[in-house]
Amino acid sequence: GQNIDQPTEMTATEGAIVQINCTYQTSGFNGLFWYQQHAGEAPTFLSYNVLDGLEEKGRFSSFLSRSKGYSYLLLKELQMKDSASYLCRDKLSFGAGTTVTVRA
Amino acid sequence: DSGVTQTPKHLITATGQRVTLRCSPRSGDLSVYWYQQSLDQGLQFLIQYYNGEERAKGNILERFSAQQFPDLHSELNLSSLELGDSALYFCASSVGWTSESYNEQFFGPGTRLTVL
């Protein structure tokens, strides 16, 4: 996606924590979305941030700093089923996605 | 189930052909978005319609076109197909359009297009 950067791959152990960073450069910011996508399936919505700070939803949390153009998705107590691609989105642009592999 | 439907689920065709992909948004959603996702690639935004009118255009080829009908369903037409057009094509819908502060997109299951 244009002007949205996130790491390509991350690997973590079951039960651990992983943080996926996303940086964006855009004007007229209207919030940042995070999606999960399993291979061959549709993306599903995880979280939305429009104000600075942390939004917590169970094992998943998302953080936003508007002044830094930066967000992260925090996945806690990783499970094997969390192995997927995680995409951040700003308006119509998606990042290329971060493939998270959870190992036993 | 997101409430967004797409047909067909799979489509196999030959180079040079023309295909039409169909999308029905969630009940009440006025915006429809089309995305292309090639193998191991991110989601590339193609085009957005809001209540029948084109609202935004992304990296959509001239060989591709779309429209949204009065009943709000949308069709994506792909013509003069090339091998490189093989991809997953997703449709998404939302209540509003991108200038609003919250615009969650709900994705359909996608159409897998294979061009041989």
Side-chain angles (χ1 to χ4, degrees), chain A residues 30 35 37 42 45 48 89 92, chain B residues 37 99 101 103-105 108:
Chain A
N30 278 329
Y35 290 79
Q37 186 181 26
F45 169 78
Y48 170 74
R89 169 174 85 89
L92 297 172
Chain B
Q37 188 172 42
S99 69
S101 61
N103 194 32
E104 180 182 344
Q105 294 182 15

Side-chain angles (χ1 to χ4, degrees), chain A residues 51-64:
Chain A
L51 300 176
D52 290 351
L54 190 67
E55 292 282 340
E56 296 191 73
K57 275 188 177 184
R59 295 189 299 113
F60 293 0
S61 304
S62 56
F63 171 84
L64 178 69

